[in-house]
Amino acid sequence: MRDEIETGGESAYLQAGTPAYRRASRILFVAGFSTFATLYCVQPLLPDFVREFGVTPAESSLSLSLTTGILAVALLVAGAISDGIGRKPVMVTALLGAGILGIVGALMPGWHGFLAVRALEGLALSGLPAVAMAYVSEEVDPKSAGVAMGLYIGGTAIGGMSGRVLTAIVTDLGSWRLAVGVVGALAVAAAVTVWFALPPSRHFVRRAAGLPALVRAWRGLLTDPALLGLFSLGFLLMGGFVTVFNYIGFRLSEPPFELRPAIVGAVFLVYSFGVVSSPLFGGWSGRFGSNRTLAVAVALMVAGLVLMEIDSLLAIASGIALFTFAFFGAHSIVSAWIGRRAAVARGQASSIYLFCYYLGSTLAGTLGGLFWHSYGWTGVAAFVGLLLAIAVGVTAGLLRSR
C-alpha cells in the first residue's frame, strides 16, 4: 500500500479524540524523543572523551558541534526533499540512518573516526525536525494541531534530557561506548515504530521546489527586520544554552564539587522544565503579548546565569533550572512569532530559524571551550553573558516593532 498520496483528495484530517490522532501524537512524541536523544547524548560524555582520546575540552565539544552544524545546513534542503518524496519516508530514513550510525560510532576506535560518524548523524537527523512539523500542518486538523505540535516539542525536550541522563548513567555503570550504542539502538526501534504506526499522509501533494522560488522566498524573509531579529535570537539563545550545558559538566566534576558522572548527568533532568514552560509562556504571550513575555524570558535566563556563577550546588542547580525554564519559554515564543510574522513561505522561515538555531549551537558551543580552557567557568559565564546581552538588545528592538 502506498504511504504517500499525491493528491489532497477528500480524506479527513486527523481530529482530536480519534484513535488515529492519538496514535499520530504518540508516534510524533517518539520521533522527537529519539531525534534529540541521539543528537545530545554525547554532551555529558565530553569529559570522558578528554580522558580517552587525549583531546582538549574545546575539541571534545566537536562531537556535538559537528553534528548540529551539519544538521543546521542540511535542514535548509531536507524540507525540499520531503516535498518530492513524502514526509513519512524521510522521517523513517532519518531515524534509521541515525540509529545505525550511532551503533557504528560506539565501535569507532579513534577520535577522528568518531567525529566523522557524528557528522553523518547530523546529516541523517536533518530529515526529521522540519519534516515532522510539515506532517502536522498537513495531516492534523488546524484546531487540533497545537496539541499535536506541543507533544512533538515535548518529545524533543524529554528526548534531549533523557539522552543526556541515560548516557551518563550507562557510562557510570559501564562505558560511554555502551551508552552511545544503546541510544543508537533506540533510534532504530523508533524508526520501525514510525514506519508501522504513524498514520499515512493523505494530504501530501508532491511538488518540486525550484531554486528561483526559494530565492524569492528567502529574499522576502531576509529583508524583514523583525524576522531578522527573531532569527538572530535563535542563534544567540541556543548558543548560550548549549554552551552552558557543554561545560557545566566540567565545572561540577572538578573541585570543589567533584561529582560522579551519574550525578552530573542528573543535571539534565531540568529539561523537564521545558515541557512545562513551553505551553506556559505560550499562554502568557497570548495574554500579555509576545514582546513583553519574550523580554521576561530573556531576563530570567540572565538571572539563571548569575546564579550559576556562585560556588554552591544549591545556587548552581537553581540557576540551571531557571535558565532552562526560561530558554524553552523563549524558544516557544520566538517559534510561534515567526509563524505569525511570515505571512508567506512559513516553511522556509522555520527552516532559516532552525538553521540559525543550530548554527548558534555549533559555533558558540565550540567557542565556549576556548573560554573554559583560558578562564574556567567564569570565562564561560562571561561569554554566555555577552550572547544574552546582545539578545536583550535584540529583544528591546522587537518591543518597538509591531
Side-chain angles (χ1 to χ4, degrees), residues 158-301:
I158 295 296
M161 175 190 75
S162 300
R164 292 165 166 98
V165 174
L166 177 64
T167 52
I169 293 174
V170 175
T171 299
D172 200 34
L173 298 175
S175 70
W176 71 263
R177 293 183 181 278
L178 177 61
V180 171
V182 167
V183 173
L186 290 176
V188 172
V192 175
T193 302
V194 171
W195 178 253
F196 285 105
L198 186 68
S201 294
R202 301 189 182 279
H203 298 270
F204 170 75
V205 178
R206 193 182 306 277
R207 58 189 180 277
L211 183 59
L214 286 176
V215 170
R216 285 194 299 271
W218 285 14
R219 184 183 298 119
L221 296 169
L222 296 177
T223 53
D224 183 329
L227 281 175
L228 287 177
L230 294 169
F231 295 152
S232 70
L233 283 176
F235 179 96
L236 295 165
L237 299 180
M238 183 58 169
F241 182 72
V242 167
T243 300
V244 163
F245 277 89
N246 271 1
Y247 302 103
I248 195 66
F250 289 102
R251 174 163 164 74
L252 294 176
S253 61
E254 294 187 352
F257 306 111
E258 297 182 291
L259 300 181
R260 289 173 58 84
I263 298 175
V264 172
V267 167
F268 297 104
L269 289 170
V270 298
Y271 261 57
S272 58
F273 287 112
V275 181
V276 177
S277 65
S278 294
L280 189 61
F281 273 88
W284 287 343
S285 66
R287 182 176 178 184
F288 302 109
S290 297
N291 315 60
R292 295 183 179 87
T293 311
L294 178 60
V296 170
V298 174
L300 289 176
M301 287 184 70

Side-chain angles (χ1 to χ4, degrees), residues 28 30-40 67-68 70-80 82 87-88 90-95 98 121-137 148-149 152-153 155-156 238 331 335 346-347 350-355 357-358:
L28 286 170
V30 168
F33 176 97
S34 184
T35 299
F36 282 74
T38 302
L39 183 62
Y40 290 109
T67 312
T68 55
I70 297 296
L71 172 63
V73 175
L75 277 168
L76 295 175
V77 298
S82 74
R87 313 301 183 197
K88 187 171 171 179
V90 172
M91 288 190 279
V92 171
T93 302
L95 288 170
E121 281 189 272
L123 183 63
L125 289 172
S126 68
L128 205 135
V131 178
M133 293 179 182
Y135 176 91
V136 171
S137 66
M149 189 69 76
Y152 168 72
I153 293 173
T156 67
M238 183 58 169
H331 176 39
S335 298
R346 288 188 175 95
S350 295
S351 293
I352 294 172
Y353 171 68
L354 288 172
F355 169 78
Y357 184 83
Y358 288 111

